[in-house]
Amino acid sequence: MEGLAGVFAAFGLSGSAGLNAYLPLLVVALMARFTPLIELRTPWTALTSGWTIGVLVVLLIVETVADKVPPSITSTT
């Protein structure tokens, strides 16, 4: 439960600072899974799960599209 609180704290702090929360988590997850540069301890080993990496990719894509693609302009007249 303590690890989950840490994840929520990371998302909350990065969100309030205006930073993209998903990109740093995705980079850490990928580096921990595919390189020996980062070794995560419990409970952070959950970041190396394929499901977690997939969810982070989807969230990053959704956030990037929502941020960069302008909304369609509709006329009400």
Side-chain angles (χ1 to χ4, degrees):
M1 201 63 177
E2 190 174 308
L4 188 60
V7 171
F8 285 137
F11 278 109
L13 291 172
S14 62
S16 66
L19 302 175
N20 185 335
Y22 307 114
L23 187 58
L25 281 175
L26 181 61
V27 169
V28 168
L30 291 172
M31 288 182 68
R33 182 164 182 167
F34 297 113
T35 69
L37 298 175
I38 295 178
E39 185 176 328
L40 299 176
R41 296 183 188 151
T42 306
W44 300 106
T45 55
L47 281 176
T48 60
S49 163
W51 283 101
T52 304
I53 292 172
V55 168
L56 287 172
V57 167
V58 169
L59 289 172
L60 179 62
I61 290 170
V62 168
E63 183 180 8
T64 303
V65 168
D67 185 42
K68 303 299 180 197
V69 176
S72 62
I73 300 172
T74 58
S75 176
T76 59
T77 58

